[in-house]
Amino acid sequence: MIRYFRQALAMMREERLFSSIYIVGTALAIAFTMVMAVVYYIKLAPIYPEPNRTRTVYFEGIRIEADNGGMGQTCFSAKAFEEWFQSNPNIEYCSPTLLAAGTGKTEERCRTSVIRDKDEYLDVICNEVSADFFKIYTYGFVSGRPFTQKEVEGKETVCVITEALAEQLFGKGADAIGRTVTMENNPDVRIVGVIRGGSQLTPDSYADIITPYTLKEVNFGAVYQGFFSIVATVSDNEHLQALKQELDDLAARLQQSHPEKLPQFGFGEGVKMKTVLTRDMETHPMHVLRSENRDDVFTVVTGWQLVRHYAGILFVLLFVPALNLCGIVAGRMERRSAEMAVRKTFGARRSTLLNQVVIENLVLTTIGGLIGLVLSWLAIYGLRREILGMFFDNSTLATAPVVEGEMLFAPTLFAGAFVAILLLNMLAAVVPAWWSLRKPIVESMMEKR
């Protein structure tokens, strides 16, 4: 092994152009692959403050489908949350949320202002939730505590704010607990907790100020129509399927017996309608993948379409560069064919020669891979607004988003990078080397060098 490594270093010194092209090609392939890996790690992995993503499900709203092809969708009211979700035995924890749960977007209804001085306003993102929200999303509390279910039910004017907002309002190091926040078009609220803020890259949990959902009452006419999405956790797939069946049955009963309590979209007289509460009801990872691969809320994306989509991305990012490198290695093997023939004449086994070629290329691929890793980290951090803006909803990225260390240096990403390097090496080196070494000795000896 050490001998092969020394031979690889000697080869790099002798064939600098080949080595440079190979390393640069590998670095770019790994850099682009790692950027995509980081993006989807941020979207799908259990990171702060969303460690329960594999058990989290979203309910975007009430969907009404008409038999004439018409469709409409609206959000849930507080009454819908309390009657349909809050005490459901198939749910671990659940909460209403102003954020468009599971869509990767921040709705305008979440945007408001807080008053710092008499005439100075700070734009903030406000979420209205139940006490269970802090069990679904495990924020780190710098001081204080989350508000309780008793405070929610009692409509107490309390809130939890981020450490960054507390510093903006009261100064660095000031104790914010017990102090009052004045919001535009909202009641004044008392701070009971200060949390370590998340990142705009996790929009399902990102907010500057969090208040009880019971502080405001809005009447849309239909009892169950409001402005909330629902976020919940389930313990396993069995409870998930039971919950889906229960909600499907509930929707059918409501449509049959109390259609006046549901949103009305004016599809016309005599049109039969169907109420759907479980649109794309699945855990966070699959929900996100389907959501970003449909043109609108009514488009259905199948599992096979997802496989083809991401297989295509992987092919472009990894296999196309591998094919180019494979051509470079093949040309080099042609130049070395006489050398390999001589070594076979003196008793070198084909497997020994193949191992040498693979290890030589693995050294080059590893160097290129490490350079690619560094490039990807520098690009994501230095150009995070521009790069991540291509994959996340720009309305959530008001400023350069916070990129936490766990988003870049997770063990899963290191393992993925290592696998990508090995795969790239195998694709680029093994096939041309194996094909070249199959040639008869005489034919290889006659090759032009």
Side-chain angles (χ1 to χ4, degrees):
M1 182 69 71
I2 296 177
R3 174 165 53 94
Y4 290 153
F5 181 75
R6 289 174 178 171
Q7 289 174 345
L9 295 179
M11 181 271 295
M12 290 173 60
R13 288 192 295 268
E14 293 174 4
E15 302 186 29
R16 295 181 180 180
L17 179 60
F18 166 80
S19 301
S20 299
I21 294 174
Y22 196 101
I23 289 172
V24 170
T26 302
L28 292 177
I30 294 298
F32 285 126
T33 303
M34 279 301 297
V35 167
M36 294 298 294
V38 169
V39 165
Y40 283 99
Y41 184 83
I42 294 172
K43 285 175 176 282
L44 306 176
I47 57 178
Y48 177 87
E50 303 180 10
N52 299 313
R53 282 178 164 180
T54 56
R55 299 185 296 113
T56 302
V57 294
Y58 307 104
F59 303 89
E60 296 179 33
I62 303 171
R63 177 184 171 102
I64 306 295
E65 300 176 351
D67 62 359
N68 63 359
M71 287 180 283
Q73 185 165 312
T74 186
C75 294
F76 298 102
S77 67
K79 184 177 179 64
F81 163 72
E82 292 164 358
E83 291 188 5
W84 301 347
F85 298 96
Q86 191 169 35
S87 301
N88 193 298
N90 291 303
I91 293 176
E92 282 186 320
Y93 305 111
C94 65
S95 172
T97 173
L98 282 182
L99 303 172
T103 66
K105 298 180 180 180
T106 301
E107 299 289 350
E108 279 302 315
R109 62 177 180 259
C110 306
R111 302 184 186 278
T112 186
S113 299
V114 297
I115 301 175
R116 179 162 59 180
D117 293 321
K118 292 182 180 179
D119 298 317
E120 186 176 1
Y121 293 80
L122 298 176
D123 293 330
V124 296
I125 294 177
C126 176
N127 199 6
E128 300 174 13
V129 304
S130 72
D132 275 1
F133 191 80
F134 298 100
K135 297 176 182 177
I136 299 171
Y137 301 115
T138 55
Y139 297 96
F141 276 79
V142 178
S143 60
R145 57 171 177 81
F147 47 75
T148 65
Q149 186 60 28
K150 183 178 179 180
E151 289 171 326
V152 173
E153 293 173 354
K155 301 182 180 181
E156 296 189 29
T157 52
V158 293
C159 73
V160 170
I161 68 173
T162 63
E163 186 178 18
L165 180 58
E167 183 175 323
Q168 287 181 290
L169 291 174
F170 310 115
K172 189 172 183 178
D175 184 11
I177 302 301
R179 301 180 77 163
T180 299
V181 176
T182 300
M183 288 193 291
E184 188 178 29
N185 301 322
N186 287 279
D188 292 355
V189 286
R190 175 174 50 87
I191 301 170
V192 296
V194 178
I195 58 174
R196 178 169 68 89
S199 170
Q200 294 153 306
L201 301 174
T202 54
D204 294 326
S205 58
Y206 181 80
D208 300 297
I209 182 167
I210 305 173
T211 65
Y213 75 95
T214 51
L215 296 189
K216 289 192 300 185
E217 293 185 7
V218 177
N219 183 10
F220 284 92
V223 173
Y224 296 120
Q225 180 180 354
F227 49 83
F228 292 111
S229 296
I230 306 295
V231 59
T233 57
V234 293
S235 58
D236 52 41
N237 187 62
E238 182 178 345
H239 285 88
L240 179 65
Q241 297 307 317
L243 176 60
K244 186 177 188 307
Q245 184 61 55
E246 184 176 343
L247 291 175
D248 286 341
D249 294 342
L250 171 65
R253 291 196 304 271
L254 282 171
Q255 188 64 59
Q256 183 68 29
S257 57
H258 297 290
E260 74 282 354
K261 295 184 179 181
L262 298 170
Q264 306 299 314
F265 291 101
F267 295 124
E269 295 184 7
V271 176
K272 293 183 178 179
M273 290 176 286
K274 178 183 178 182
T275 301
V276 180
L277 303 178
T278 56
R279 164 74 171 172
D280 290 340
M281 182 180 164
E282 51 203 351
T283 52
H284 174 89
M286 186 59 72
H287 181 86
V288 169
L289 294 179
R290 289 192 200 276
S291 295
E292 71 172 19
N293 281 282
R294 64 189 189 194
D295 296 327
D296 55 64
V297 296
F298 304 123
T299 304
V300 176
V301 179
T302 65
W304 176 239
Q305 287 175 310
L306 289 179
V307 170
R308 287 188 299 174
H309 174 79
Y310 292 106
I313 292 176
L314 183 62
F315 178 81
V316 170
L317 292 178
L318 202 58
F319 287 88
V320 171
L323 292 176
N324 292 329
L325 294 176
C326 186
I328 296 173
V329 174
R332 179 169 173 268
M333 288 303 299
E334 289 296 319
R335 296 195 301 273
R336 298 182 65 185
S337 58
E339 171 200 337
M340 295 298 177
V342 171
R343 294 184 62 183
K344 284 194 287 185
T345 302
F346 283 93
R349 299 174 62 182
R350 185 185 301 171
S351 60
T352 301
L353 299 176
L354 183 62
N355 286 338
Q356 177 186 340
V357 174
V358 170
I359 291 175
E360 287 177 356
N361 284 277
L362 183 59
V363 171
L364 294 176
T365 307
T366 301
I367 295 172
L370 292 175
I371 294 173
L373 283 175
V374 174
L375 286 176
S376 67
W377 292 332
L378 291 176
I380 289 174
Y381 187 79
L383 301 172
R384 55 192 182 277
R385 177 75 186 276
E386 292 77 9
I387 292 178
L388 297 175
M390 295 187 291
F391 302 98
F392 293 83
D393 181 50
N394 265 309
S395 67
T396 68
L397 307 183
T399 58
V402 174
V403 179
E404 302 282 356
E406 66 173 323
M407 296 177 180
L408 296 178
F409 307 111
T412 304
L413 293 180
F414 276 114
F418 181 72
V419 170
I421 290 172
L422 288 180
L423 184 58
L424 194 61
N425 178 69
M426 289 297 161
L427 290 171
V430 172
V431 174
W434 178 80
W435 185 261
S436 177
L437 292 172
R438 287 180 70 249
K439 294 181 179 180
I441 295 177
V442 175
E443 182 179 341
S444 297
M445 293 286 290
M446 297 299 293
E447 291 280 355
K448 293 182 179 180
R449 301 186 60 184

